[in-house]
Amino acid sequence: MFPLLLVLLAVPLFLSARKQKRAMAEQQKLQNELAPGDKVMTTSGLYGTVADASHDTTIDIEISEGVVTRWLRAAIREKVADVEETVVEKADDDVHEVEPATAQVAEPLDTNAKK
């Protein structure tokens, strides 16, 4: 009975360790393959474009026109697709004009007014 219990506890631990090791290897591969021009997102959610990837431990990211910041490679979470590539173009006949809504504003209540 005891060996069966050990097997039941050891198998999930072994599988989770393999999954974590594989995820770490994929992340390391991503960070090593970064090249200038790649669109990336950092672990803090900052989007930018790789400006310089020639350093071993750091990477320069352009976050705005002319604004380049230096980050640790480990801070890069993922490559992101270019916004222009992800936009699905719609045909002209699919676009409908919408009338702007007109809101009626109620008069404010004057709680200090005497009747």
Side-chain angles (χ1 to χ4, degrees):
M1 182 76 169
F2 184 70
L4 181 61
L5 183 61
L6 283 177
V7 169
L8 289 175
L9 293 174
V11 169
L13 289 174
F14 175 74
L15 293 176
S16 67
R18 279 188 53 204
K19 182 178 178 182
Q20 185 178 13
K21 187 176 181 180
R22 185 175 32 242
M24 286 177 59
E26 288 176 9
Q27 189 70 16
Q28 187 72 27
K29 180 182 174 189
L30 166 79
Q31 291 169 357
N32 289 334
E33 291 178 349
L34 291 173
D38 289 344
K39 308 280 187 199
V40 294
M41 182 179 75
T42 64
T43 55
S44 60
L46 181 79
Y47 289 89
T49 305
V50 176
D52 181 20
S54 62
H55 305 289
D56 289 338
T57 58
T58 61
I59 192 164
D60 292 343
I61 300 176
E62 184 175 23
I63 56 176
S64 183
E65 188 72 31
V67 179
V68 178
T69 57
R70 182 162 288 168
W71 293 75
L72 287 174
R73 281 185 182 264
I76 305 302
R77 176 179 289 166
E78 64 186 65
K79 282 187 186 180
V80 292
D82 194 8
V83 175
E84 296 168 0
E85 294 174 3
T86 58
V87 173
V88 177
E89 301 212 9
K90 293 186 175 185
D92 290 336
D93 56 7
D94 289 344
V95 178
H96 303 287
E97 288 189 29
V98 178
E99 294 287 327
T102 56
Q104 294 181 357
V105 179
E107 292 292 322
L109 295 175
D110 188 8
T111 56
N112 295 331
K114 295 182 181 180
K115 292 187 178 182

